[in-house]
Amino acid sequence: MHGNKSHSTKLTFAQNTYPQEFTLENYDCIGFDLDHTLCRYKLKPLFQLIYKSLASFLIEKYEYPKSLANICEDDWSFAQKGIVLDKCRGNILKLNNSYKIVKASHGTRLLSPDEISEIYGPTSIWEESRGIPQKLVATALEEPFYVFKDYFVTPGAIICAKLVDIIDKREGKTLEEYHFWDQYIEGIFNMYERSNFKNNSGHFFPELVKNPSLYIQPCPDSVKKWLEHIGQNKVTFLLTSANYDSAEFVAKQCLGDDWKKYFDIVITFARKPGFFWRDKPFYLVCDNDEIGNVKPEDFKSHLVYSQGNFKELQEVCANLSKSKSPKTVYFGDSLIEDVYAASEMAGCDTVAIVEEMLAEGMIDSSEKHLESQVLTSKFWGSFFNNAVSETSSNRGEDITLWAHLLAQHSKLTIPNLESIARLQMQDKISCFGGDIPISGYYPGIPKALSTYC
């Protein structure tokens, strides 16, 4: 995959090779993910739709009790981006940056520290979880774990936990091994199948198309103006794993019928994270069909392409920017597919979109997320912090695995594009670098990380 390059399973803080300041002026090319980056969703209705779609599939095909479809307000506290499923044991885990399990449940039942140690050993580290980011890029479906890594799968954590509860109740005991995983992932694939939008099939896309305003937020005018402004000075591209038809639908709802005008290049069905390290060819999209094998020198501005790879995208950017070695930054929300893969596998700078910053609150900021209820968890605690005792001898072990990944693999972490659209191209702001895991949060440091201030 990467020749002789080795990947440590220990995540370490970003080293001093990172610049201490970030400015868009330094980049030749600026790229954006679509879902949850340019297009923000109304998360509670979206989560409800995802939950009901998965539950309906499992009830209809595998005859789980109809009660699985029921969800109450307290259930949302169980869903948190980044928690990890132990497929075999039916346990769900929250990890710190050393892969130590700091909190866990069996189904929906909270496990005590003693139970965690009994199951996973005295260090409370599940050896299989070491190196999760690298493994998710290369061999995700083959691993004994599953990460609820973005908002399109986060509600699945509630489903998986309830399936364990249902199985335990039916069997009258805790099993040594669970086999619901294949059924669950079949439900995920069934929901997001590439052809579903075109065929108006599955539970998810028909409802999204029927009631788009219930789920999709229009892009703020400030962000549209910002996109137009940077497009006058930089090469801009849209890079999404969504198929063209569904991406076009969402982009129109968010940016308007003239959505393509904001980008020099549009790439759909990019198949991230593989896009950043594989050598898949590009295709031209015409009437939702893929045509030919398009070389970088044949790209034309404002057309739509699919699949492809980052290396050839850089060649396209070089041609358009008139720079032999264009410097690129990519904005995205997915911890693995956008942030880690782009940074680690392609050497591309990234800006991470993390809505939990607003939901949990930022120091010296009164801004608040309108849907904090579904992004904050009384069960798991902060997305950023593990609430480890302040007397701990290991500096930094209170940082979650994912907050640590952000400090290592993003230049900036922001709650939304509006926060950076306020800046001028030449404005300089602090970014991640050195041993301080908070320097790249903008416009404010998450309150959960206040001990580092």
Side-chain angles (χ1 to χ4, degrees):
M1 179 169 64
H2 245 60
N4 294 323
K5 184 175 181 179
S6 62
H7 298 286
S8 169
T9 58
K10 169 69 174 176
L11 284 177
T12 56
F13 286 120
Q15 301 301 310
N16 289 320
T17 53
Y18 277 67
Q20 297 299 306
E21 291 182 323
F22 175 93
T23 174
L24 286 172
E25 191 64 43
N26 285 343
Y27 296 95
D28 303 292
C29 305
I30 301 175
F32 300 91
D33 182 30
L34 179 60
D35 294 309
H36 305 294
T37 299
L38 279 170
C39 174
R40 291 174 58 199
Y41 287 79
K42 299 173 183 178
L43 291 178
K44 187 172 183 180
L46 179 71
F47 284 3
Q48 289 172 329
L49 174 59
I50 293 168
Y51 182 92
K52 290 179 180 178
S53 298
L54 276 171
S56 296
F57 173 84
L58 292 165
I59 291 167
E60 292 168 9
K61 183 160 186 179
Y62 291 103
E63 299 183 343
Y64 282 99
K66 292 182 179 179
S67 60
L68 179 63
N70 300 332
I71 188 160
C72 65
E73 292 300 313
D74 288 344
D75 287 339
W76 298 120
S77 184
F78 194 85
Q80 185 177 74
K81 184 168 66 180
I83 54 177
V84 179
L85 171 68
D86 178 342
K87 298 177 186 177
C88 180
R89 296 184 178 95
N91 297 337
I92 299 177
L93 320 172
K94 182 180 180 182
L95 308 179
N96 75 359
N97 64 291
S98 298
Y99 300 99
K100 180 179 179 180
I101 301 166
V102 294
K103 209 165 205 178
S105 73
H106 177 74
T108 61
R109 181 179 69 84
L110 182 67
L111 295 176
S112 69
D114 287 343
E115 287 177 303
I116 294 172
S117 297
E118 183 179 346
I119 297 168
Y120 295 100
T123 62
S124 296
I125 293 177
W126 182 29
E127 290 300 321
E128 298 286 357
S129 74
R130 290 188 184 274
I132 275 181
Q134 302 94 288
K135 292 175 180 178
L136 285 177
V137 166
T139 54
L141 294 179
E142 302 168 17
E143 299 296 338
F145 56 78
Y146 176 79
V147 178
F148 300 96
K149 56 187 171 57
D150 58 49
Y151 297 142
F152 282 133
V153 296
T154 297
I158 308 171
I159 291 281
C160 288
K162 288 186 176 182
L163 291 180
V164 173
D165 291 349
I166 289 169
I167 293 167
D168 284 355
K169 183 177 180 180
R170 183 182 67 202
E171 300 297 327
K173 61 180 180 179
T174 298
L175 303 185
E176 292 186 4
E177 188 172 341
Y178 291 81
H179 301 283
F180 65 86
W181 164 252
D182 288 340
Q183 299 168 353
Y184 166 80
I185 201 65
E186 183 185 354
I188 290 288
F189 288 152
N190 176 268
M191 185 164 55
Y192 297 126
E193 167 62 40
R194 186 185 184 189
S195 62
N196 280 1
F197 188 91
K198 178 181 178 180
N199 297 333
N200 197 38
S201 58
H203 295 277
F204 181 79
F205 284 115
E207 171 60 21
L208 185 69
V209 171
K210 182 180 178 182
N211 297 297
S213 62
L214 181 61
Y215 303 102
I216 299 172
Q217 298 188 43
C219 186
D221 288 340
S222 62
V223 174
K224 290 182 180 180
K225 291 177 181 177
W226 177 68
L227 289 172
E228 287 186 308
H229 177 67
I230 62 176
Q232 294 171 4
N233 302 283
K234 308 290 182 180
V235 174
T236 57
F237 63 88
L238 177 69
L239 176 67
T240 174
S241 287
N243 201 49
Y244 173 69
D245 49 8
S246 60
E248 180 185 44
F249 175 80
V250 169
K252 282 184 176 180
Q253 298 298 321
C254 174
L255 293 168
D257 290 343
D258 57 352
W259 64 278
K260 293 178 189 175
K261 75 176 185 180
Y262 296 104
F263 313 104
D264 295 296
I265 308 163
V266 175
I267 301 167
T268 61
F269 195 52
R271 306 176 77 173
K272 297 177 292 183
F275 179 88
F276 292 105
W277 58 273
R278 292 194 176 112
D279 293 319
K280 296 282 186 181
F282 280 104
Y283 298 89
L284 176 67
V285 175
C286 184
D287 295 328
N288 206 35
D289 292 325
E290 294 177 331
I291 300 174
N293 184 329
V294 185
K295 301 300 182 184
E297 59 268 23
D298 296 325
F299 265 65
K300 292 181 172 56
S301 295
H302 306 297
L303 295 182
V304 179
Y305 300 88
S306 71
Q307 302 197 48
N309 62 85
F310 185 78
K311 180 181 178 182
E312 290 190 346
L313 173 60
Q314 281 292 84
E315 293 181 38
V316 176
C317 288
N319 294 336
L320 294 178
S321 67
K322 310 301 182 185
S323 172
K324 290 184 178 180
S325 300
K327 191 171 183 182
T328 301
V329 62
Y330 182 60
F331 288 73
D333 73 290
S334 177
L335 301 168
I336 297 299
E337 295 176 2
D338 297 329
V339 180
Y340 178 81
S343 168
E344 178 69 11
M345 313 308 288
C348 178
D349 288 352
T350 68
V351 175
I353 309 294
V354 178
E355 294 190 42
E356 285 81 0
M357 288 177 65
L358 268 185
E360 295 188 22
M362 297 177 289
I363 297 171
D364 297 327
S365 174
S366 59
E367 290 186 80
K368 198 67 178 176
H369 200 292
L370 295 178
E371 296 182 286
S372 295
Q373 177 192 3
V374 294
L375 288 179
T376 54
S377 174
K378 293 180 181 178
F379 190 96
W380 297 108
S382 171
F383 171 79
F384 304 97
N385 184 285
N386 293 315
V388 174
S389 170
E390 293 182 4
T391 61
S392 171
S393 60
N394 293 323
R395 173 67 166 164
E397 73 171 15
D398 54 335
I399 298 290
T400 63
L401 174 65
W402 305 111
H404 203 39
L405 181 142
L406 291 169
Q408 189 178 34
H409 290 284
S410 71
K411 294 293 187 184
L412 289 179
T413 295
I414 59 178
N416 49 46
L417 289 178
E418 294 98 297
S419 60
I420 201 168
R422 305 164 189 161
L423 301 177
Q424 301 298 315
M425 293 287 290
Q426 67 274 16
D427 285 347
K428 296 179 180 180
I429 53 178
S430 296
C431 66
F432 285 118
D435 295 329
I436 304 174
I438 59 172
S439 57
Y441 288 104
Y442 182 84
I445 298 165
K447 290 181 178 178
L449 300 177
S450 61
T451 55
Y452 284 85
C453 295

